[in-house]
Amino acid sequence: VFDNFFTGMAVLLQFVSFFVLRWQRPDLPRPYKVPKALIALFFPGLAILLYMLYHCFVKAGNASIITVIAFAVGMPYGFWVAYRERRRKDLGEFSALDELFER
């Protein structure tokens, strides 16, 4: 349950980010653009994803409570890490990962 929930949430966030970037930043260079006709495939995928998340909550019982708590703690932590890294980059500081990705 735990694994399925987090995988489903990752896919959901990817779906959301796909549309947000497409609407808010259409000027960004993209090596590959999805043809508009294929966006219709989003809806069956979303239906399967929502069914899976529903199944995780309804059939799992107590495990879903632990999963929600882990997600509720993890999201603010992820935002904090992203904010800290963005701030360090604005100040001109670099992390060890920056050197790795520059190669």
Side-chain angles (χ1 to χ4, degrees), residues 69-80:
I69 291 170
F71 188 75
V73 170
M75 285 299 287
Y77 175 73
F79 285 123
W80 175 74

Side-chain angles (χ1 to χ4, degrees), residues 85 88-89 92-103:
E85 286 300 314
R88 290 176 86 186
K89 190 173 184 179
E93 299 175 6
F94 296 100
S95 69
L97 289 178
D98 291 333
E99 292 177 14
L100 179 67
F101 289 132
E102 287 179 2
R103 292 181 186 175

Side-chain angles (χ1 to χ4, degrees), residues 1-97:
V1 173
F2 191 81
D3 211 23
N4 289 337
F5 175 80
F6 280 99
T7 300
M9 291 307 295
V11 170
L12 184 62
L13 290 173
Q14 290 171 6
F15 282 166
V16 170
S17 65
F18 171 78
F19 286 110
V20 168
L21 282 175
R22 194 168 184 101
W23 290 323
Q24 290 184 355
R25 301 292 305 268
D27 57 322
L28 285 177
R30 291 179 174 82
Y32 177 77
K33 289 190 178 185
V34 176
K36 291 186 182 187
L38 291 180
I39 292 177
L41 294 176
F42 166 77
F43 296 107
L46 182 63
I48 293 168
L49 173 67
L50 292 176
Y51 175 75
M52 185 204 58
L53 290 175
Y54 169 78
H55 192 309
C56 286
F57 283 112
V58 172
K59 304 292 183 186
N62 292 337
S64 61
I65 295 170
I66 296 169
T67 302
V68 169
I69 291 170
F71 188 75
V73 170
M75 285 299 287
Y77 175 73
F79 285 123
W80 175 74
V81 168
Y83 167 76
R84 189 182 67 181
E85 286 300 314
R86 199 173 323 117
R87 187 168 173 220
R88 290 176 86 186
K89 190 173 184 179
D90 290 343
L91 294 173
E93 299 175 6
F94 296 100
S95 69
L97 289 178

